[in-house]
Every structure is written in structure tokens, then in C-alpha cells.
Amino acid sequence: MSLDDLYRRVIMDHYQKPRNRGTLEDDAVSVELNNPTCGDRISLQMRVEDGIIKEAKFLGEGCSISLASASMMTEAVKGLKVEEALDLSRMFSQMMQGKEVDFERFPLEDIEALQGVSKFPARIKCATLAWKALEQGVEGKQ
């Protein structure tokens, strides 16, 4: 199996069986964003306590890349300090721009499967939508 095939399988797994799909109640931070170019919509909820993202869930509609990215992102940021989650988001953005990323600092695990999206500029907004919601949601929570 080629690396591209493996990455496609990881993306489709997160798309077909999204992790953390749903909503949070009570004092959850909530951000809704859309990508009018593609029709992607993401509603992200996070529970941030003492500067740590305790929980993250999302609801959304859109393409496989957008929803898989949201699933991967919510898995990756749970338990991180807000500053670490923002660092991870910046690394993801660099990866989407085709730049070198230090995967040893934050092992991106499944998120690396989205690396190939950087070759398709029209799809980068799909992959980064949930990450932009994360950034907006944690502003001021540091």
C-alpha cells in the first residue's frame, strides 16, 4: 500500500466515522464558520478550563477533507494548553502552505494524512476551516 493510499484511508475513516461529533452544553465556547467557496460549515464547541482544552466537539456539513480535518483537530487538541493548541494550529497552517513542519514537537499522527491537500490550493480552505474556528474560539482564553 502506498503512502497516498494510506493517507486517503485515514481521511475517509475520519470522514465516515468522525470523532467528537456532537455538541457541548453549559459554558462551552462556540464558534461557527463556513467556507462559501465549497459549502463547508463547522460548528465547534470547546470546554476550556484553567487554560486547558478539556473537551472539543463539532457538527458540520461539507466535503470529506473539511469534516475529517475537524475530527482530527478535535482529537488532537483535547488536553492541550491553549497555547499548545494554537502552536499546533500554526503548524497545521504551515503544513497546508507546503512548508516544512517539525513533527517531533507535536506528533500530528492522523493529521499528517492531510499534508497532500497543500498540492490543491482550492482545498486548503476546506482543511483549515475547523482550525480557524479553534483559533477564534480560544482567543482570549490563554
Side-chain angles (χ1 to χ4, degrees):
M1 176 184 317
S2 75
L3 192 57
D4 284 342
D5 288 339
L6 176 63
Y7 282 173
R8 269 190 223 101
R9 285 186 181 190
V10 170
I11 291 168
M12 290 309 295
D13 181 55
H14 276 273
Y15 173 63
Q16 293 169 343
K17 294 178 262 174
R19 283 59 155 183
N20 306 303
R21 187 173 194 104
T23 58
L24 296 172
E25 303 299 324
D26 304 327
D27 61 344
V29 174
S30 186
V31 177
E32 293 187 26
L33 290 180
N34 68 10
N35 174 6
T37 310
C38 188
D40 299 326
R41 292 188 342 218
I42 294 289
S43 175
L44 175 68
Q45 292 86 39
M46 295 175 289
R47 183 163 293 114
V48 180
E49 296 173 10
D50 300 321
I52 297 172
I53 300 172
K54 297 289 187 175
E55 291 184 78
K57 292 193 177 266
F58 78 98
L59 291 175
E61 296 176 4
C63 69
S64 60
I65 291 171
S66 175
L67 297 179
S69 183
S71 174
M72 293 173 190
M73 184 273 297
T74 56
E75 280 287 283
V77 300
K78 283 192 297 185
L80 292 183
K81 294 178 183 175
V82 168
E83 303 86 27
E84 293 171 329
L86 289 172
D87 285 346
L88 183 59
S89 183
R90 285 188 276 278
M91 285 179 57
F92 184 77
S93 180
Q94 289 175 340
M95 186 176 78
M96 288 296 101
Q97 295 170 29
K99 296 178 181 174
E100 289 293 318
V101 175
D102 179 12
F103 291 116
E104 290 189 22
R105 181 157 180 239
F106 283 110
L108 297 182
E109 299 173 9
D110 285 357
I111 297 169
E112 281 184 68
L114 293 167
Q115 196 168 20
V117 173
S118 66
K119 298 174 188 167
F120 306 97
R123 303 306 298 248
I124 292 172
K125 286 184 180 181
C126 302
T128 58
L129 186 63
W131 295 87
K132 298 294 182 196
L134 165 73
E135 291 170 6
Q136 285 186 22
V138 296
E139 282 182 1
K141 296 285 182 186
Q142 299 182 57

